[in-house]
Amino acid sequence: MAWLHRLLPEAASSLAPGVDAVFSLIFWMSLFWFVVIQGVLIFFVLRYRKNRTRYPAFHSVALEVFWTLVPTFLVMVLFVYGWRQFRNLRYAPSDALEIHVTGRQWLWQFTYPDGRTTLNDLVVPLNRDVQIVMKSADVLHSFFVPAFRVKQDLLPDRYTRLWFRATRADTFEIYCAEYCGTGHSRMLGRVIVLPEDAYETWKNRGEGGTASTKRVDPVERGRQVYETRGCKACHSIDGSRGVAPSFLGLYGHSVELEGGETVLADENYLRESILDPQRKVVKGFQPVMPPFQGVLSEEEVDAVIAFIRSLGTEEGE
Ligand code: CUA
């Protein structure tokens, strides 16, 4: 049924057909019984709408047994069929490539076997089993890739896992599927599936950049970092007040801190606030930003500062 599949997200993992098959079975079974039951209901309403005393209620043990056993059997079919797919989803092949994920308010941080990290962009090889080992640095999040038909919660102080094998070289959305605060709807990421040779090239490039990283001018590069590495979820660039102070007109102005102190927003202040945000918290804001020490490269920190600087020194507050 092609039109039913058009209602579903594209299927791009080895697990997707199995999940879709369970979904289709439940869908068609439900539709069938809906039509049968509503049909009988409507028929009875019309057929027996008068003279209700002429047809007294009766009791039939055979009928009761019949309509108890049939649904029981059907539900057992669904259970066994669904259970087999569930088991398939649960247990990763033992030679799967392992990638660690940390969910934070509000970004995804991926750590690869060679120790490098990327933010919001998960780069995986095509047609390889990949196991994702997840934990949260703060509250509950949920890692959801609709095209792969996989979804799993991330918890603080505990590891959870899921696995998939991507079957199409393309870019797919990652959503956070568990409400986790103000930035929840913007906690977006991408899975970038690369053919084996492109993946090797990416891997051998060494530094912790993302696949989309190119050397461009620092301001453009900074904008890219701002957009892909989680800054955007909290810091606006149009002066509007979000979870965190806006970047508009920040550079070169004095900033009032919790505790009454005032600092000048220069390179050193910005750098410190990116790497160790809890040191100087801006008055009126919560200390919720995770430290980016060891997460952003030197080059990325420089670029973000260049970007913030480009957002003007004219505007006030
Ligand atoms: Cu993280 Cu919702």
Side-chain angles (χ1 to χ4, degrees):
M1 285 295 150
W3 64 267
L4 177 61
H5 279 278
R6 247 179 282 142
L7 298 178
L8 299 172
E10 58 188 324
S13 82
S14 60
L15 300 165
V19 174
D20 289 355
V22 174
F23 175 80
S24 297
L25 178 68
I26 294 172
F27 177 84
W28 289 113
M29 212 183 242
S30 304
L31 190 67
F32 174 79
W33 287 109
F34 177 80
V35 169
V36 168
I37 291 166
Q38 295 304 311
V40 169
L41 183 77
I42 290 164
F43 173 77
F44 281 180
V45 164
L46 295 176
R47 176 74 180 75
Y48 299 110
R49 71 187 184 282
K50 287 179 196 159
N51 303 331
R52 94 185 51 139
T53 48
R54 236 205 275 163
Y55 306 98
F58 71 101
H59 183 81
S60 160
V61 173
L63 202 53
E64 291 274 2
V65 169
F66 172 73
W67 69 39
T68 303
L69 287 186
V70 169
T72 304
F73 172 74
L74 292 178
V75 167
M76 288 313 289
V77 169
L78 289 184
F79 169 73
V80 172
Y81 192 44
W83 168 252
R84 284 172 46 182
Q85 298 302 336
F86 178 76
R87 213 176 40 180
N88 199 11
L89 287 170
R90 279 293 89 178
Y91 298 108
S94 56
D95 58 347
L97 175 70
E98 205 174 274
I99 299 175
H100 285 249
V101 180
T102 306
R104 295 172 189 274
Q105 291 170 312
W106 287 278
L107 55 85
W108 302 102
Q109 180 183 334
F110 302 101
T111 307
Y112 298 84
D114 60 4
R116 91 170 70 186
T117 62
T118 59
L119 290 177
N120 288 341
D121 279 353
L122 169 62
V123 182
V124 298
L126 180 66
N127 286 325
R128 275 272 301 279
D129 298 330
V130 176
Q131 171 153 236
I132 305 290
V133 181
M134 303 181 279
K135 69 173 184 315
S136 169
D138 34 56
V139 299
L140 293 188
H141 301 278
S142 185
F143 181 88
F144 180 31
V145 184
F148 293 172
R149 308 289 191 270
V150 292
K151 185 200 266 178
Q152 172 65 52
D153 277 12
L154 287 74
L155 296 88
D157 306 320
R158 194 191 302 179
Y159 292 99
T160 51
R161 288 159 185 272
L162 64 76
W163 78 278
F164 56 80
R165 183 165 76 237
T167 52
R168 270 184 40 204
D170 206 338
T171 300
F172 305 98
E173 308 281 338
I174 301 171
Y175 294 100
C176 179
E178 184 72 60
Y179 181 69
C180 54
T182 318
H184 162 70
S185 63
R186 279 170 296 172
M187 190 169 166
L188 301 170
R190 302 184 299 172
V191 190
I192 299 167
V193 182
L194 298 176
E196 194 72 42
D197 49 342
Y199 178 77
E200 287 305 317
T201 311
W202 173 80
K203 215 171 83 176
N204 295 331
R205 245 188 7 213
E207 94 184 76
T210 61
S212 50
T213 298
K214 277 192 237 87
R215 300 263 165 208
V216 284
D217 90 280
V219 173
E220 254 327 286
R221 174 82 182 105
R223 177 184 292 276
Q224 208 177 68
V225 173
Y226 167 79
E227 278 170 2
T228 58
R229 299 223 145 200
C231 319
K232 195 177 154 188
C234 305
H235 296 279
S236 81
I237 52 172
D238 60 4
S240 62
R241 185 198 158 97
V243 179
S246 177
F247 284 165
L248 183 69
L250 169 64
Y251 187 83
H253 281 78
S254 59
V255 174
E256 219 184 314
L257 303 178
E258 281 296 336
E261 213 185 322
T262 299
V263 294
L264 179 70
D266 59 9
E267 270 101 348
N268 283 322
Y269 164 74
L270 293 178
R271 185 192 162 78
E272 181 190 66
S273 291
I274 293 166
L275 299 180
D276 188 7
Q278 317 289 339
R279 285 273 281 277
K280 297 196 173 95
V281 177
V282 179
K283 192 176 170 71
F285 291 93
Q286 294 298 311
V288 293
M289 179 170 159
F292 280 73
Q293 182 80 59
V295 174
L296 292 180
S297 69
E298 279 299 314
E299 180 254 342
E300 286 169 319
V301 173
D302 292 347
V304 173
I305 293 172
F307 176 61
I308 294 173
R309 194 171 173 169
S310 77
L311 293 170
T313 53
E314 309 319 326
E315 286 85 357
E317 296 302 290

